[in-house]
Amino acid sequence: MICGADDFGYDMVENEAYFFVSEDMRMAEERKREQLADLEKRFPFKKGQEHPSIIHAVEDIGSILYKQKKLSEAEPFYRRALSWYESRYGQTAPEALIRGNNLAVLLKQRNKYAEAEKLYRKAIGGQSLVLGANHADTLQTVSNLAVLLRGMGPTRAAEAETYFRRVLTGREADLGEGHPATLQALTNLASFLGDQDARETEAETLHRRTLARWEAHYGPAHPGTLHAAANLAFFLDNVLKREDDETENLYRRVVTGYCEQLGENHRSTIKANENLERYVQQRQQEQAGSSSEEARQCASSRSDQERARLGAGDIESVVWCLA
């Protein structure tokens, strides 16, 4: 099965949060490479006819390299795995289609959009035929294609929107409006619309609907609810450029909730706190600027009145003298 937005495994989705490098990862990569070399010696093979344990090691290495953002190194491992699954099970087999989706995700990260698009469309065609158009795996690949098209610029925006809406409709029909996958689809559509000209009102409506559904189905303190609140705050702040109490209170709610749910040292908490501090400072500067401007205008108005009064007195004096 293709993973959801918060999962990671062989079945990949668009999520750069999984890129990280650690000593454990480097050690794991080294061990897996040694294991692969050993397996290839133990099980002599022709290309496309490798022992399954060899391909499992190939996929492990590809996944480890992807997590370390070694994308150019990971690509040959993904291609090798896809080729093997297609040869063994057929090009339309779910096992092969999953690997095609995985390779497309990687290629998208490498800006190889044209090939990634072909792989996504091939996977969608096969998944729709074998699994059904509204199957969870099919819709996840459709969502990945929508993300790809969104990144290809305004000329592909209309097509991207069609796919974002297709995913949302399918999720609602199959899972219901309160399922996390449905709410993620709603978030994706809202985020997309927020980037389009003159679509901000609809985007705001969808962000608010997402938050309301999270609250209704999972409660105000659920991490998903807090994430929806963070998305709405960010939209009000950065897209609509609002300087108001609602936006600040949303930021504060997210910080408080993340501290309680995740801890103050969690990266999400730290990022939320940075957003809050930036926004508060931004509002203070704006308010200080407004106060200064009001004071300047007030002083200017008083000066104008004084000049008018003095000017009128001068004229009267002149007139009096002439009289």
Side-chain angles (χ1 to χ4, degrees), residues 229-278:
N231 286 340
L232 176 57
F234 187 86
F235 175 80
L236 295 175
D237 175 12
N238 292 276
V239 177
L240 298 186
K241 306 297 182 183
R242 289 191 185 167
E243 304 265 346
D244 57 22
D245 291 341
E246 181 192 17
T247 306
E248 183 174 333
N249 289 337
L250 282 167
Y251 275 131
R252 291 188 183 279
R253 173 184 175 181
V254 173
V255 171
T256 300
Y258 279 166
C259 280
E260 294 174 353
Q261 298 291 329
L262 305 174
E264 63 181 16
N265 293 323
H266 191 278
R267 63 183 181 184
S268 295
T269 308
I270 293 171
K271 181 62 178 178
N273 203 45
E274 289 174 352
N275 286 338
L276 173 61
E277 290 178 353
R278 173 191 54 77

Side-chain angles (χ1 to χ4, degrees), residues 261-307:
Q261 298 291 329
L262 305 174
E264 63 181 16
N265 293 323
H266 191 278
R267 63 183 181 184
S268 295
T269 308
I270 293 171
K271 181 62 178 178
N273 203 45
E274 289 174 352
N275 286 338
L276 173 61
E277 290 178 353
R278 173 191 54 77
Y279 187 75
V280 170
Q281 184 178 22
Q282 179 178 298
R283 285 195 74 190
Q284 290 173 343
Q285 291 174 346
E286 182 67 23
Q287 289 169 356
S290 297
S291 298
S292 298
E293 178 63 18
E294 288 175 5
R296 188 193 67 77
Q297 290 177 353
C298 215
S300 176
S301 176
R302 286 196 299 269
S303 297
D304 290 343
Q305 292 173 357
E306 184 65 18
R307 282 193 295 271

